[in-house]
Amino acid sequence: MGAQLRVYKRRIQAVTATKKITKAMEMIAASRIVKAQRKVAASMPYATELTRAVTAVATGSNTNHPLTTEAEAPARAAVLLLTSDRGLAGGYSSNAIKAAERLRERLAAEGKEVDTYIVGRKGVAYYGFRERKVSESWTGFTDSPEYSDAKKIAEPLIASIQKDTAEGGVDELHIVFTEFVSMMTQNAVDGRMLPLSLEKGEEESTEKGEILPLFDFEPSAEDVLDALLPRYVESRIYNALLQAAASEHAARRRAMKSATDNAGELIKSLSRLANAARQAEITQEISEIVGGAGALADASAGSDK
């Protein structure tokens, strides 16, 4: 019994230490969510207005540009997948990877070859373990991305959209990330960044009662779109990185809270088992004492006779 009691005590100590770690990680993630939410809110106006500006320029000109013109028979697409660098965030990365796999299957069914770009060690490890080709990857900043990170990611993607498919370029650019809805809800979504869907922008403007202005372009509409293309892609990627970071912290906070609660329940269960083992040990000791006293009494009575 004594050995069993020691086992329970060691397990309680180990689980208690784990509970302290998960509780600390939960608090850290909760504090980072607020900062990430502020960054998302701060980036939204710029991304929204830039998209409106690009839509206005594109609808006001007849220029064929990779930002707005769809290929007649698109044969190649690039997919940018945003995952996390660290684990302990529940199904955050796996949900994003599943969304990317569904998008990849859909594009392949349409007859398009897919180039994959990945952000985050989890995505890199997933594709590396399965020996799948990755065009380019970036790691080390998923929990606190900066605009410079978005620019670094956007460079090869913009270069690929500007090339012909015969030279290794792509006709479409898609992004898969986790959208931050609330502290309890984060959804893995995919969207097409390029070519920009002008119909959707026009419908949103019509619903809001807005009229897109007419522009005169100097030196030309194509030069304006060339200048706006990198800004548009960078802003979209940066906003997605921020939303993904907020979603990662929210998912980690929820996972660590669940782990902390489970550790507390396990400690209670082990404590009950330890108490039962202690009571059994005490009962056994009392039984041995009573038995020994009875044996001594019987021996003494036999000697008196």
Side-chain angles (χ1 to χ4, degrees):
M1 285 296 178
Q4 188 176 11
L5 183 59
R6 286 194 295 272
V7 170
Y8 286 137
K9 286 183 176 180
R10 281 198 298 268
R11 290 191 63 188
I12 290 172
Q13 291 175 353
V15 176
T16 300
T18 302
K19 182 180 178 181
K20 290 180 180 179
I21 295 172
T22 56
K23 184 64 177 179
M25 294 183 68
E26 176 191 348
M27 296 176 67
I28 292 171
S31 66
R32 288 179 176 176
I33 292 173
V34 178
K35 297 178 182 178
Q37 282 180 291
R38 291 173 182 169
K39 288 186 176 181
V40 171
S43 71
M44 287 300 292
Y46 177 76
T48 302
E49 291 302 319
L50 185 56
T51 303
R52 289 184 69 252
V54 172
T55 303
V57 173
T59 54
S61 68
N62 297 321
T63 303
N64 291 329
H65 194 275
L67 185 63
T68 58
T69 305
E70 295 191 26
E72 294 182 0
R76 198 181 188 94
V79 175
L80 175 62
L81 169 61
L82 306 186
T83 62
S84 66
D85 285 323
R86 298 185 294 131
L88 301 177
Y92 166 78
S93 292
S94 61
N95 290 337
I97 292 172
K98 289 177 183 176
E101 291 293 291
R102 290 192 295 269
L103 174 61
R104 184 186 183 90
E105 291 174 1
R106 187 169 76 245
L107 294 173
E110 295 173 358
K112 300 171 186 174
E113 188 178 349
V114 179
D115 291 345
T116 305
Y117 297 79
I118 300 178
V119 175
R121 292 189 179 94
K122 290 298 179 180
V124 173
Y126 178 89
Y127 278 75
F129 179 77
R130 288 158 181 79
E131 298 182 350
R132 295 185 182 178
K133 181 182 177 182
V134 176
S135 298
E136 199 160 346
S137 62
W138 302 267
T139 59
F141 54 81
T142 60
D143 58 346
S144 183
E146 300 293 339
Y147 194 83
S148 58
D149 300 319
K151 291 186 67 174
K152 183 169 57 178
I153 297 169
E155 286 178 4
L157 296 174
I158 294 171
S160 66
I161 200 71
Q162 291 176 333
K163 288 181 182 178
D164 292 332
T165 53
E167 300 175 356
V170 298
D171 298 311
E172 296 177 356
L173 177 57
H174 299 259
I175 185 170
V176 180
F177 66 100
T178 305
E179 182 183 29
F180 182 85
V181 180
S182 67
M183 295 287 285
M184 298 302 297
T185 306
Q186 301 88 40
N187 299 324
V189 297
D190 65 83
R192 192 180 75 176
M193 286 196 292
L194 294 176
L196 180 64
S197 178
L198 298 180
E199 290 80 5
K200 183 178 179 182
E202 291 174 355
E203 289 175 2
E204 291 177 354
S205 298
T206 303
E207 290 175 358
K208 295 178 181 179
E210 297 178 358
I211 300 176
L212 293 176
L214 298 177
F215 292 94
D216 287 329
F217 304 107
E218 184 66 32
S220 66
E222 186 175 359
D223 291 335
V224 174
L225 289 173
D226 285 339
L228 287 176
L229 174 60
R231 303 293 177 268
Y232 169 75
V233 175
E234 290 165 8
S235 68
R236 286 288 301 273
I237 293 176
Y238 183 53
N239 182 261
L241 285 171
L242 293 177
Q243 292 208 50
S247 299
E248 178 185 348
H249 294 316
R252 182 168 291 112
R253 186 200 66 83
R254 190 167 60 251
M256 291 301 98
K257 185 180 187 306
S258 178
T260 301
D261 294 341
N262 291 338
E265 293 298 323
L266 184 57
I267 290 172
K268 290 180 182 179
S269 177
L270 291 172
S271 297
R272 285 194 292 267
L273 292 174
N275 291 336
R278 187 183 301 109
Q279 292 296 329
E281 184 178 354
I282 293 172
T283 301
Q284 182 178 354
E285 289 177 357
I286 292 174
S287 298
E288 292 174 354
I289 291 171
V290 172
L296 289 174
D298 292 339
S300 177
S303 63
D304 290 341
K305 293 179 180 181

